[in-house]
CSV table of all heavy atoms in Angstrom, one decimal:
chain,number,residue,atom,x,y,z
A,158,ASP,N,148.6,162.0,86.5
A,158,ASP,CA,149.8,161.2,86.8
A,158,ASP,C,149.4,159.9,87.5
A,158,ASP,O,148.2,159.7,87.9
A,158,ASP,CB,150.8,161.9,87.6
A,158,ASP,CG,150.2,162.5,88.9
A,158,ASP,OD1,149.6,161.7,89.6
A,158,ASP,OD2,150.4,163.7,89.2
A,159,ALA,N,150.3,159.0,87.7
A,159,ALA,CA,150.0,157.7,88.2
A,159,ALA,C,149.6,157.8,89.7
A,159,ALA,O,148.7,157.0,90.1
A,159,ALA,CB,151.3,156.7,88.1
A,162,GLU,N,145.9,158.4,89.8
A,162,GLU,CA,145.2,157.2,89.4
A,162,GLU,C,145.1,156.2,90.5
A,162,GLU,O,144.1,155.6,90.7
A,162,GLU,CB,145.8,156.6,88.1
A,162,GLU,CG,145.6,157.4,86.9
A,162,GLU,CD,145.9,156.6,85.6
A,162,GLU,OE1,146.4,155.4,85.8
A,162,GLU,OE2,145.7,157.1,84.5
A,230,LYS,N,144.0,146.8,87.8
A,230,LYS,CA,145.5,146.7,87.6
A,230,LYS,C,146.2,146.6,89.0
A,230,LYS,O,147.1,145.9,89.1
A,230,LYS,CB,146.0,147.9,86.8
A,230,LYS,CG,145.7,147.9,85.4
A,230,LYS,CD,146.2,149.2,84.7
A,230,LYS,CE,146.0,149.2,83.2
A,230,LYS,NZ,146.5,150.5,82.6
A,235,LEU,N,149.8,145.1,88.3
A,235,LEU,CA,150.2,145.5,87.0
A,235,LEU,C,150.6,147.0,87.1
A,235,LEU,O,150.4,147.7,88.0
A,235,LEU,CB,149.1,145.3,86.0
A,235,LEU,CG,148.7,143.9,85.8
A,235,LEU,CD1,147.6,143.8,84.7
A,235,LEU,CD2,149.8,143.0,85.4
A,236,ASN,N,151.3,147.5,86.0
A,236,ASN,CA,151.7,148.8,85.8
A,236,ASN,C,150.5,149.7,85.5
A,236,ASN,O,149.9,149.7,84.5
A,236,ASN,CB,152.7,149.0,84.7
A,236,ASN,CG,153.3,150.4,84.6
A,236,ASN,OD1,152.8,151.3,85.3
A,236,ASN,ND2,154.3,150.5,83.8
A,237,ILE,N,150.1,150.5,86.5
A,237,ILE,CA,148.9,151.3,86.4
A,237,ILE,C,149.0,152.4,85.3
A,237,ILE,O,148.0,152.9,84.7
A,237,ILE,CB,148.5,151.9,87.7
A,237,ILE,CG1,147.0,152.4,87.7
A,237,ILE,CG2,149.4,153.0,88.2
A,237,ILE,CD1,146.5,152.8,89.1
A,238,SER,N,150.2,152.9,85.1
A,238,SER,CA,150.4,154.0,84.1
A,238,SER,C,150.6,153.5,82.7
A,238,SER,O,150.6,154.3,81.8
A,238,SER,CB,151.6,154.9,84.6
A,238,SER,OG,152.8,154.1,84.6
A,239,GLU,N,150.8,152.2,82.5
A,239,GLU,CA,151.0,151.7,81.1
A,239,GLU,C,149.7,151.5,80.4
A,239,GLU,O,148.9,150.6,80.9
A,239,GLU,CB,151.8,150.4,81.2
A,239,GLU,CG,152.0,149.7,79.8
A,239,GLU,CD,152.8,150.7,78.9
A,239,GLU,OE1,154.0,150.9,79.1
A,239,GLU,OE2,152.1,151.2,78.0
A,240,LYS,N,149.4,152.3,79.4
A,240,LYS,CA,148.1,152.2,78.7
A,240,LYS,C,148.3,151.8,77.2
A,240,LYS,O,147.4,151.8,76.4
A,240,LYS,CB,147.4,153.5,78.8
A,240,LYS,CG,147.1,153.9,80.3
A,240,LYS,CD,146.3,155.2,80.3
A,240,LYS,CE,146.2,155.6,81.8
A,240,LYS,NZ,145.4,154.7,82.6
A,241,ARG,N,149.6,151.7,76.8
A,241,ARG,CA,149.9,151.4,75.4
A,241,ARG,C,150.1,150.0,75.0
A,241,ARG,O,150.0,149.6,73.8
A,241,ARG,CB,151.1,152.3,74.9
A,241,ARG,CG,150.9,153.8,75.1
A,241,ARG,CD,152.3,154.5,75.0
A,241,ARG,NE,153.2,153.9,76.0
A,241,ARG,CZ,154.5,154.2,76.0
A,241,ARG,NH1,155.0,155.0,75.0
A,241,ARG,NH2,155.3,153.7,76.9
A,244,GLN,N,148.6,143.9,78.9
A,244,GLN,CA,149.2,143.4,80.1
A,244,GLN,C,148.3,142.2,80.6
A,244,GLN,O,147.1,142.2,80.4
A,244,GLN,CB,149.2,144.5,81.2
A,244,GLN,CG,150.0,145.7,80.9
A,244,GLN,CD,150.1,146.6,82.2
A,244,GLN,OE1,150.8,146.3,83.1
A,244,GLN,NE2,149.5,147.7,82.1
A,276,GLU,N,140.8,151.0,77.5
A,276,GLU,CA,141.4,149.7,77.7
A,276,GLU,C,140.3,148.6,77.9
A,276,GLU,O,139.4,148.8,78.7
A,276,GLU,CB,142.4,149.7,78.8
A,276,GLU,CG,143.6,150.5,78.6
A,276,GLU,CD,144.5,150.6,79.8
A,276,GLU,OE1,144.2,151.3,80.8
A,276,GLU,OE2,145.6,149.9,79.8
Side-chain angles (χ1 to χ4, degrees):
D158 55 50
E162 288 196 354
K230 287 181 179 179
L235 299 180
N236 184 353
I237 195 171
S238 61
E239 179 57 73
K240 302 178 185 300
R241 300 167 300 170
Q244 296 190 73
E276 294 176 283

